[in-house]
Amino acid sequence: RLNSNQPGETTPMGAKVTTCGLMQCLDESARLLGWKDSHGQGRSKKRGVGVASLVHVGGSGRIYRSDGGGVILKLDDYGNVNVSYGGVEMGQGLHSALTLTVADAVGVRPDKVFINPTDTATCPWDVGTHASRGAFVGCNAALMAAKKVRDKLFACATEIYPREVQKNLERYQRAHPGYLPPAGFDVALAARPDRFELRDGVLSLNGDVPDEPWLRLELGRLLRAMHFRGSAGQMVVAEAFYEPPSELPDWEKGVGNMSATYTYGVQAVEVEVDEETGEVAILRAVSVHDVGKVLNRQTLMGQVIGGFAQGVGFALYEQVLTERGRILNPSFTDYKIPTIAEMDFPLEVAFIETDDDAGPFGAKGVGEPGLVPTAPAIANAIYDAIGVRMRHLPMTPERVLAAIDERDRCR
């Protein structure tokens, strides 16, 4: 708490903190773990609790002159939106975030959005899929491109919409003989760019408008009407490039606001240490993160849980052994990673939403933070349990036993 960043401060490294939910993450992790009831060492089972916090670039991390990325949106005649972006989907959920962002920003259903395969021959430039930047940069660029799409659609709709809904009205009247449209409502007069709304692939008018089904126009019909106008025909394609408002650091001084925003989080664990074998067992854990805004809860949960599992491997198991340049454990038979057996403990995940102005819909980058504080949290819990500081990873049973022996010799 004493060293926690605060919203609005500039750190000694020159990082400008915008939103910061670190204090809320600390409070929530302590509540979920039952910190006051669990804290303490010296009990018969040698249990201990530990906590660690993190700060990580959450608005990309500038290490090159440009830290941006571009997006191209192309609509076909049936209201499908094809998205080209230079970021790479490698299982982290980038395409899921882009799909939901484009669908919401353009005004179509997610099943009408298609992410094209990443190919430098067809996709716009992007600096790279690293630094937890994919969704932050890609979705911000997508929001900019989506605005251009909507502006073009609404501008063209001023001419096309009245004509097309008149056809709707005529069909409706044939199906409902005797129906008369509301008196006094002039569609052509109401059809202005600022009056249009596009949602779930249906164009309509907002404001004081009669609630009539024939006033709703399917996006595909609008697009086809724009297309099939002879020499005046148009296709809807929009591109945008987003460059984060960050600085290239002064590498000699180690100073610079290299990210548009920063992600914070806290992890807390309870462990049991066997002083006879040196084995460390995680009994339960909590992972709380300031994510700005949750875009896709399922994907976000997967990121955090997967990151925690990697952190457990980093803390307790994973080690490349070499001898004279030869790797002694080149396969997963001997190179140990956590399996479902090692992850068989309750892990509670919670998100703090601080709604960052720089992020798409207020979101921050969250790809890597899930594994950042895991090892120090486990090390702190081991110290709480047996009173020794583990300073080398992984904290194997052999190293734990050696630390216990050193502790006992010094008493």
Side-chain angles (χ1 to χ4, degrees), residues 147-162 191-196 203 222 226 229 234 236:
K147 184 181 184 305
K148 294 180 180 180
V149 165
R150 287 171 68 91
D151 287 347
K152 187 170 185 178
L153 289 172
F154 295 168
C156 291
T158 58
E159 172 194 344
I160 296 172
Y161 177 82
R192 303 195 311 266
D194 61 335
R195 293 285 303 275
F196 286 117
L203 184 71
L222 172 64
M226 291 172 61
R229 292 192 295 173
Q234 289 180 278
V236 179

Side-chain angles (χ1 to χ4, degrees), residues 87-394:
V88 177
E89 171 62 67
M90 56 186 78
Q92 79 276 38
L94 173 60
H95 283 185
S96 173
L98 268 177
T99 296
L100 294 176
T101 296
V102 170
D104 188 275
V106 173
V108 299
R109 298 190 311 274
D111 62 352
K112 302 291 281 185
V113 178
F114 298 88
I115 312 296
N116 295 327
T118 303
D119 187 335
T120 54
T122 56
C123 292
W125 186 87
D126 181 81
V127 73
T129 309
H130 59 261
S132 302
R133 63 181 295 281
F136 184 90
V137 171
C139 291
N140 266 327
L143 289 175
M144 295 165 63
K147 184 181 184 305
K148 294 180 180 180
V149 165
R150 287 171 68 91
D151 287 347
K152 187 170 185 178
L153 289 172
F154 295 168
C156 291
T158 58
E159 172 194 344
I160 296 172
Y161 177 82
R163 186 171 67 244
E164 293 300 315
V165 297
Q166 178 62 34
K167 297 177 184 177
N168 285 351
L169 174 58
E170 293 169 1
R171 280 194 290 267
Y172 191 80
Q173 288 177 319
R174 286 196 296 270
H176 301 81
Y179 169 82
L180 295 176
F185 179 68
D186 189 329
V187 175
L189 190 62
R192 303 195 311 266
D194 61 335
R195 293 285 303 275
F196 286 117
E197 179 56 79
L198 178 61
R199 184 173 300 171
D200 292 333
V202 176
L203 184 71
S204 61
L205 292 166
N206 55 35
D208 187 15
V209 178
D211 185 17
E212 299 288 343
W214 54 271
L215 285 172
R216 303 184 189 103
L217 182 64
E218 188 262 330
L219 175 60
R221 279 185 57 195
L222 172 64
L223 290 164
R224 291 190 293 275
M226 291 172 61
H227 181 187
F228 298 113
R229 292 192 295 173
S231 61
Q234 289 180 278
M235 301 297 295
V236 179
V237 180
E239 58 83 22
F241 184 82
Y242 173 76
E243 185 71 56
S246 54
E247 305 168 357
L248 186 66
D250 183 328
W251 299 116
E252 292 185 2
K253 297 180 179 179
V255 174
N257 185 40
M258 68 183 304
S259 182
T261 186
Y262 297 88
T263 299
Y264 293 87
V266 170
Q267 290 179 349
V269 298
E270 182 176 11
V271 303
E272 183 175 285
V273 183
D274 188 329
E275 287 200 305
E276 293 185 355
T277 66
E279 290 183 290
V280 177
I282 299 174
L283 304 180
R284 56 200 179 105
V286 170
S287 190
V288 183
H289 296 265
D290 164 17
V291 299
K293 197 74 172 179
V294 175
L295 295 184
N296 184 326
R297 183 168 294 274
Q298 182 177 3
T299 299
L300 198 53
M301 290 285 290
Q303 285 276 26
V304 171
I305 294 171
F308 193 92
Q310 287 184 293
V312 169
F314 184 44
L316 299 177
Y317 306 108
E318 297 187 46
Q319 184 179 26
V320 176
L321 301 175
T322 62
E323 182 181 63
R324 297 182 179 180
R326 183 170 64 90
I327 296 177
L328 301 179
N329 54 342
S331 73
F332 288 129
T333 301
D334 301 306
Y335 182 91
K336 301 302 182 183
I337 63 174
T339 68
I340 193 170
E342 286 76 31
M343 293 297 296
D344 185 23
F345 54 83
L347 172 58
E348 291 191 72
V349 177
F351 303 119
I352 303 298
E353 294 187 314
T354 51
D355 197 10
D356 197 273
D357 288 341
F361 303 113
K364 300 181 181 183
V366 293
E368 294 154 301
L371 68 84
V372 174
T374 314
I378 294 172
N380 287 337
I382 293 172
Y383 175 77
D384 189 50
I386 61 176
V388 298
R389 283 289 182 195
M390 303 299 299
R391 304 190 184 279
H392 299 282
L393 299 179

Side-chain angles (χ1 to χ4, degrees), residues 27-35 284 286-288 348-350:
D27 292 340
E28 184 68 2
S29 61
R31 184 188 71 81
L32 292 173
L33 193 71
W35 179 267
R284 56 200 179 105
V286 170
S287 190
V288 183
E348 291 191 72
V349 177

